[in-house]
Amino acid sequence: MHQRIVNTITNIEIVIYMILMIVLTFVTLFSLYELIAIVSYDLFYDETPFLLETMGILSFFEFFLLILIGLELMDTIKSFIETKKIEVGIVIILAIIAVSRKIIVIDPATATEFELIGIGAIIFSLTVGYYFIKKADFLRAEN
């Protein structure tokens, strides 16, 4: 009886992950479509292209990195469905991309020194963590 309940809960989790994967796929595809539409319109139809200005380039990178975050989330969910384990390396890469996105769109004129130091500390911590995870994977593979 106990094993049957655990199996039922596991099956429900898998269904939820599959639904999340489908929704995330649609959102990521729609975001990619929007990015292509915005860039196409701006470059081919707008008389004064916004993308050629600094803020336009930053907006493009913000949107681009948002799509990368969606792809990394999809990879995380796919990996969990296949292995039943959360890959910490993928989660750290996702966090690094998210923080990098924040750095790209931050306005240095309004950001305080503490915010910038905090973001730097987060990136340093994530990078060191990723390094140690990869080093542990490498050492485990050697044994």
Side-chain angles (χ1 to χ4, degrees):
M1 178 68 173
H2 173 50
Q3 187 61 34
R4 198 166 150 195
I5 292 173
V6 170
N7 289 341
T8 302
I9 291 172
T10 302
N11 290 336
I12 291 171
E13 285 177 340
I14 290 172
V15 168
I16 291 171
Y17 276 113
M18 294 302 289
I19 292 169
L20 285 173
M21 182 67 114
I22 291 168
V23 170
L24 186 58
T25 301
F26 281 123
V27 169
T28 305
L29 286 172
F30 180 73
S31 298
L32 180 62
Y33 169 77
E34 280 289 311
L35 180 64
I36 291 170
I38 290 168
V39 169
S40 299
Y41 178 80
D42 194 54
L43 292 177
F44 298 118
Y45 299 110
D46 200 357
E47 292 179 14
T48 57
F50 179 65
L51 283 176
L52 298 180
E53 300 173 11
T54 303
M55 292 308 293
I57 293 170
L58 291 177
S59 296
F60 170 81
F61 281 123
E62 180 180 10
F63 215 133
F64 181 82
L65 289 173
L66 191 60
I67 293 169
L68 279 181
I69 289 170
L71 289 173
E72 287 297 328
L73 279 171
M74 289 170 59
D75 195 32
T76 302
I77 293 171
K78 181 180 73 170
S79 174
F80 179 78
I81 290 172
E82 291 172 351
T83 65
K84 302 290 186 268
K85 297 177 185 173
I86 294 180
E87 295 290 328
V88 179
I90 295 173
V91 174
I92 290 179
I93 288 173
L94 180 63
I96 290 171
I97 293 171
V99 174
S100 299
R101 179 178 172 261
K102 176 68 176 171
I103 290 171
I104 289 172
V105 300
I106 197 167
D107 183 8
T110 60
T112 67
E113 296 156 354
F114 292 115
E115 286 175 324
L116 296 175
I117 290 170
I119 290 172
I122 290 170
I123 288 180
F124 179 75
S125 301
L126 289 170
T127 306
V128 168
Y130 186 74
Y131 170 78
F132 283 126
I133 288 171
K134 286 301 174 184
K135 183 144 178 111
D137 289 345
F138 177 74
L139 292 174
R140 208 173 306 127
E142 283 184 346
N143 295 330

